[in-house]
Every structure is written in structure tokens, then in C-alpha cells.
Amino acid sequence: MSHAQIRDRLLYLIYFINFLYLLNPANAVAQIQPPTTYALTHAKIFTLAGSAIEDGTLIIRDGKIAAVGAGLDIPAGAQLIDAKGLQVYPGLFDSITQMGLREIGAVSATVDSAESGGYNPDVVAATAVSPSSEHIPVTRAAGITEVLAVPASGGMDSFGSQGVIGGQASAIHLSGWTIDEMLIKKSAAMVLNWPEIETQTFDFATFSRKEKPYSEAKQEYDKQVTEITDWVERARHYAQAMEKGSAAKYDRDLKLEALVPVVRGELPLLVFADRSREIRSVVEFCDKQRLRMILAGGSEAYKVKDLLRSKGVPVILRPMLTLPLDEDDPYDRLLSQPAELAAVGVKFAFASFDNSFARRLGQNAANAVAYGLPYEEALKAVTLYPARIFGLDSQIGTLEQGKLANIIVTNGDPLELTTDVKYLFIKGQLTSMDNRHLRLYEKYSKRPKAQ
């Protein structure tokens, strides 16, 4: 037998042994699984469930926080990360985005953030989320570990029709190959765009505004409210038929079926409204219909803060670095509103309402601190409070034993623009912070200078 034949047979034997080894699923997985246990040591840990822990240790095991405190024993086999001089926080939560639903607003083939028609309660955002969106790694590099993907929610990236009942918002992690890996909660809220009494319209033919009589605008508004009421009443009757009747005795309606958890009080209604008049109207509507309401937008929430507090309605606030609604409002009207809401006990969270500037969520909260909001309230408004508002605080929002290990390790305050995220964990796994912005920065920073 020649040397070449012996070599070929030995190689064949090695390949065959490897093949048999990998037939065992446990062995195959062991080749590709990253570490499941990490230990962050010597860090200042802000749990948001108590006082900060100086020189603390946080243990991550199998995707969850196994222990957090000072002087903890390090488990055998844990990947050790010395975080001396660094700070540990819960990951930030952006509670209104179109993440994974909208890539480039001007390219319709990359947009799947709203369905045609005015009433689409059966639409679920998670079914349309693209895990390969370039917005996702850019956003998580800023310390945001989870978001709410909200259909028909408008924002700077959206210019199309929003509809009235836009569908179901989904809470997702910002890491995962598939939507199943990303999901926190498939249906976290039902989206409702509350109508406004609009006395002005924009005529694209003349590129100018046109006035509409108030009586005509009010009639259109009342018609839309009547339609919403009709949907809610029909959903309530449908729920009764499901509970007491036989499936053979009623025709299945997927839209009404999707509204059943709303009328039962199991799923909150995420209502988009800005003007105080509309906010009062929708709070009264939800109170009468016994619906759980979350206010989104709320540019004039300060005008009805006592009503919101008395009814227990939380608010998801729009970004504040924009013009106030009316030209005679103070320039800082939106900036000072969070402090006013906090002072009377209205729970609120900050959100980006789009994708392009989701990465500036922390700085949006910091701007409110400059206008009177206590710092701890601002930090909780992008971590614990959004999780609590959407019923996810048993899983995320604070650093406590048993919760999902969505964690950021920073070299400073996560609300400051100059702070860098040094390590990022999502579901207990060390997650890459590489992204398109970073790659472009590195590419063009190395560009040769012109001679």
C-alpha cells in the first residue's frame, strides 16, 4: 500500500469518527454554543431595585441573572469579566418604534409598518419584523436591549396612512436570528389612533392649507368615534359568543377575535393622542368601555395630568427636542412636561417613536433631567417604567435574581451622550456591538487625505 493510500485512508477514518461524534446532538451543540455562565466583577451595579452596589458582582447563568451582590463566589467555569471602574445597568427599553418593520422610508419595498384599511386589529407586528434590519445593531450599540415594535405608529420615519386600529405591538429583544428568538411578548398592546377634530387640511394641488368649518370637522370626528365604539361593542358580543355559545353557531371573525383580549381587559389599548381635548375624550371612552389604556404621544398631557393620575393612565412621551404644538407655547413646554407629570404621580416612559433616532433614547431622558425631572425617574423611564407599563417587569427592567440578563456595562452614565457601552448582554449572551455606523466611521476615518 502506497503512502498516499495510507494517508487517504487515515483521513477517511478521521472524517468518519468526526461524523459519528457530531451525530450526537449534544456534541454538535457543544461545538457552537457560547458560554452560558458569566461573572461581572468589581463593578458599580445599579439594580434599580435598591441602592447601588459598590464593588459588586453579577452572575449570569443560562440567560438569566443568577445572583447579584457584593462578595459573591464565582461559579466554576464562568467566563470572568473584570468590570473595575465600569458601571452595570439594566438594558434600555424603547417602548415605541417601528424596529424591523421599516428600513428606508422612501423605499416602499422595505416598509411593512402598516396595513391598508382603517381597522386591522388582527395584524401582529412580530410577523413582519425583519431580524436582519440594519437599525437593530445600530440601536443596541447605544445600550438599548429591547423595544416595542408598533404597527401604524407614525414617527419621523413614517408618512403613510396609519389607520384607526393599527394592530398589535410586539415586545422584542434586539438580538436573534429569527423572530422566535427575539420575542419577549408577541402581543403587548393594541394600537388605536384616536381621531382629531381637524379644521385645517393640506391641499397638495396648491401646496397650501385650507380651512374647514368646525361643524363639518366635528361631524367627521363623531363618525369615527361611533365606528370605534361599534367595533368595541361587536367585539364584546363576539367574546360572549365565544364564552357561552357553540363554535358552530357563529361565524369566525379574526378581526373581532383579536379584539376580545382588549374588551376582556387582558390586553391594553395603546392610544395615540396629543391634544388635551382628544386625551380627555379617549380617557372618558376607555373608562366607559372598561378598557385598559396607555396614552402614546401626549404632547399636552400636562393639561390633563390630574385626570391621567386619577384614572391610572400611564403615558409614553414623544421625543422632546421638537417644537411645541402651538406657536405661543413656551419653547421648553415639552422639555418641562415630564417633571410636571412626575410631581403629580403620573407614570410615564420615554420613547423614540421611530427608528432613525432610537439610539438617542438615553439622551432624550437626560434632557428632561435638565428641566427638573429627578435623575432616577429619568433612568427608570427608559428601563423599569416601560417594562412595568406593558406588564413585562417580572422579566426585565431591573437587575434582580431570576430576571432575563439584558444588561449593559458602561464607562459612565447611560443617559450621557459621551458614555460608551463596553459590554452588552441580551438574554444572557455577550452580544456584538458592531454596526453599520461603526463600520462607516472606521472606513472613512482611514480615508487618505487629499494631496
Side-chain angles (χ1 to χ4, degrees), residues 437-450:
H437 287 194
L438 179 61
R439 292 192 297 271
L440 289 174
Y441 168 78
E442 292 175 345
K443 175 181 177 179
Y444 286 102
S445 64
K446 298 174 183 177
R447 180 182 177 183
K449 295 182 179 179

Side-chain angles (χ1 to χ4, degrees), residues 201-210:
T201 59
F202 192 81
D203 186 356
F204 284 95
T206 61
F207 217 70
S208 61
R209 293 190 178 275
K210 286 187 176 182

Side-chain angles (χ1 to χ4, degrees), residues 12 15 22 33 117 168 223 262 270 323 340 390 438 449:
Y12 176 80
Y15 292 150
L22 291 175
Q33 281 284 10
Q168 301 167 49
K223 180 182 178 182
V262 177
L270 182 62
L323 293 174
E340 292 183 54
F390 291 100
L438 179 61
K449 295 182 179 179

Side-chain angles (χ1 to χ4, degrees), residues 7-218:
R7 180 199 63 201
D8 291 343
R9 291 195 176 189
L10 285 174
L11 287 174
Y12 176 80
L13 182 61
I14 292 170
Y15 292 150
F16 182 70
I17 292 172
N18 285 336
F19 173 73
L20 292 177
Y21 179 78
L22 291 175
L23 279 179
N24 184 340
N27 293 331
V29 170
Q31 302 300 306
I32 60 174
Q33 281 284 10
T36 58
T37 304
Y38 296 87
L40 305 174
T41 62
H42 304 301
K44 184 173 184 179
I45 303 174
F46 294 83
T47 66
L48 301 192
S51 301
I53 302 171
E54 300 285 350
D55 195 16
T57 299
L58 188 145
I59 309 297
I60 300 170
R61 181 183 294 114
D62 298 329
K64 294 186 177 182
I65 298 172
V68 57
L72 300 180
D73 293 331
I74 308 301
Q79 180 172 324
L80 193 64
I81 297 177
D82 186 352
K84 187 175 183 179
L86 302 178
Q87 301 174 4
V88 179
Y89 297 87
L92 307 188
F93 185 172
D94 192 343
S95 45
I96 296 182
T97 71
Q98 295 93 45
M99 199 65 61
L101 304 176
R102 174 176 291 266
E103 197 70 7
I104 303 171
V107 182
S108 59
T110 70
V111 176
D112 198 4
S113 57
E115 295 293 321
S116 59
Y119 295 87
N120 297 290
D122 54 326
V123 169
V124 181
T127 61
V129 168
S130 171
S132 60
S133 169
E134 288 285 3
H135 290 290
I136 291 175
V138 169
T139 302
R140 72 179 178 224
I144 299 169
T145 54
E146 58 270 342
V147 303
L148 209 68
V150 183
S153 57
M156 292 182 63
D157 295 335
S158 302
F159 301 97
S161 173
Q162 297 178 0
V164 182
I165 300 180
Q168 301 167 49
S170 301
I172 60 173
H173 299 285
L174 290 188
S175 177
W177 288 96
T178 66
I179 186 59
D180 289 336
E181 293 178 1
M182 299 171 70
L183 267 184
I184 302 175
K185 191 173 185 179
K186 187 175 183 179
S187 184
M190 182 69 71
V191 176
L192 172 63
N193 288 291
W194 192 254
E196 295 183 26
I197 300 176
E198 296 181 308
T199 57
Q200 284 189 342
T201 59
F202 192 81
D203 186 356
F204 284 95
T206 61
F207 217 70
S208 61
R209 293 190 178 275
K210 286 187 176 182
E211 290 292 332
K212 181 188 298 184
Y214 177 82
S215 58
E216 183 181 333
K218 181 66 163 60

